Amino acid sequence: MNRIEQLISDMEQYIDSCKTQAFSGNRKIVVERNTIDDFLTELRMCMPEVIQRSEKIVNNKEAIISDARTQAEKLLSDATEKTTELVDEHEIVQQAISRGNEIIEQAQTQAQEILDQAIIEANSFKESAITYTSDAMGSLRALYEDNITATRTLFEDNMNAAQSLFEQHLAAMDERYQIIASNHDAFLTSINGDSAAQVQEEVSEIDSNEDDEEA
């Protein structure tokens, strides 16, 4: 409790202790002037301090209010700026997400196109390989058959030629044999004084010489 409050409390106690005026119905009291003057004097003495304190409180209040207003405005400004940043960041994030989705879709599309093209090329290469292999096998088969046929024909021709040569040789030998036999018979007929053994020996020698010449 400050001094003013104490003085007011003392004045109230003093008033309660004063006597009431007669016939006033307790609405009027009798007070001592000096006592009241003392209370008032002391109150006057306390008033400058109170006023100064009040002014200080008022000034402080204005300063507090001004500072609070400044802080509130700063908080509001910061909140607005932060909100704007968040909105901008949100838009940037949304744009980044949208762009990322576009890039992913483009990559998936390109990957699918590359895969489809690879499958087409692989199938084409497979068909080309099958066609090439089939053609090569056909050519090899034709070459094999042609060579076999040519070899068989050449063998048959050589066999025919050898057989013909052999038959010709046999025919020549038979012809010469017939000639020799005829000459032999004629020789035996033309010789009268020679012995049969001597003639046979000469004929054998002639046959032997003929065989050596033919060999």
Side-chain angles (χ1 to χ4, degrees), residues 70-87:
T70 301
Q71 291 182 2
E73 291 176 354
K74 186 177 184 305
L75 290 174
L76 181 60
S77 177
D78 292 342
T80 303
E81 183 178 357
K82 187 63 177 178
T83 302
T84 304
E85 291 178 357
L86 291 175
V87 171

Side-chain angles (χ1 to χ4, degrees), residues 47-79:
M47 286 302 296
E49 181 182 355
V50 173
I51 293 172
Q52 185 180 2
R53 186 182 299 172
S54 299
E55 290 177 352
K56 186 176 181 180
I57 292 173
V58 171
N59 292 332
N60 289 337
K61 180 181 179 181
E62 293 296 332
I64 292 171
I65 293 173
S66 177
D67 185 63
R69 185 180 292 109
T70 301
Q71 291 182 2
E73 291 176 354
K74 186 177 184 305
L75 290 174
L76 181 60
S77 177
D78 292 342

Side-chain angles (χ1 to χ4, degrees), residues 25-186:
N26 293 328
R27 290 180 299 173
K28 296 178 181 182
I29 61 176
V30 178
V31 298
E32 295 181 2
R33 184 179 182 87
N34 293 332
T35 304
I36 295 299
D37 287 339
D38 291 338
F39 280 124
L40 293 176
T41 300
E42 194 170 355
L43 284 172
R44 289 188 185 96
M45 291 176 62
C46 293
M47 286 302 296
E49 181 182 355
V50 173
I51 293 172
Q52 185 180 2
R53 186 182 299 172
S54 299
E55 290 177 352
K56 186 176 181 180
I57 292 173
V58 171
N59 292 332
N60 289 337
K61 180 181 179 181
E62 293 296 332
I64 292 171
I65 293 173
S66 177
D67 185 63
R69 185 180 292 109
T70 301
Q71 291 182 2
E73 291 176 354
K74 186 177 184 305
L75 290 174
L76 181 60
S77 177
D78 292 342
T80 303
E81 183 178 357
K82 187 63 177 178
T83 302
T84 304
E85 291 178 357
L86 291 175
V87 171
D88 294 339
E89 290 178 358
H90 179 72
E91 292 179 354
I92 293 173
V93 170
Q94 291 298 322
Q95 292 177 0
I97 293 173
S98 178
R99 180 57 181 166
N101 291 332
E102 291 178 359
I103 292 174
I104 292 173
E105 290 178 359
Q106 291 177 359
Q108 289 177 347
T109 301
Q110 292 178 358
Q112 187 63 41
E113 291 178 354
I114 293 173
L115 179 61
D116 294 341
Q117 184 65 29
I119 293 173
I120 293 173
E121 292 179 357
N123 291 333
S124 177
F125 178 78
K126 179 180 179 181
E127 293 177 357
S128 299
I130 293 174
T131 302
Y132 174 79
T133 305
S134 299
D135 294 341
M137 288 299 296
S139 300
L140 181 62
R141 185 180 294 106
L143 180 62
Y144 171 78
E145 292 176 354
D146 291 342
N147 287 335
I148 288 297
T149 302
T151 302
R152 183 181 293 109
T153 301
L154 180 62
F155 178 77
E156 291 176 353
D157 291 342
N158 289 334
M159 286 295 296
N160 292 332
Q163 184 177 0
S164 176
L165 182 62
F166 179 74
E167 290 177 355
Q168 290 178 3
H169 183 68
L170 289 178
M173 290 179 63
D174 183 67
E175 183 179 0
R176 297 188 67 180
Y177 176 79
Q178 295 297 330
I179 293 173
I180 292 171
S182 177
N183 292 332
H184 176 263
D185 293 340

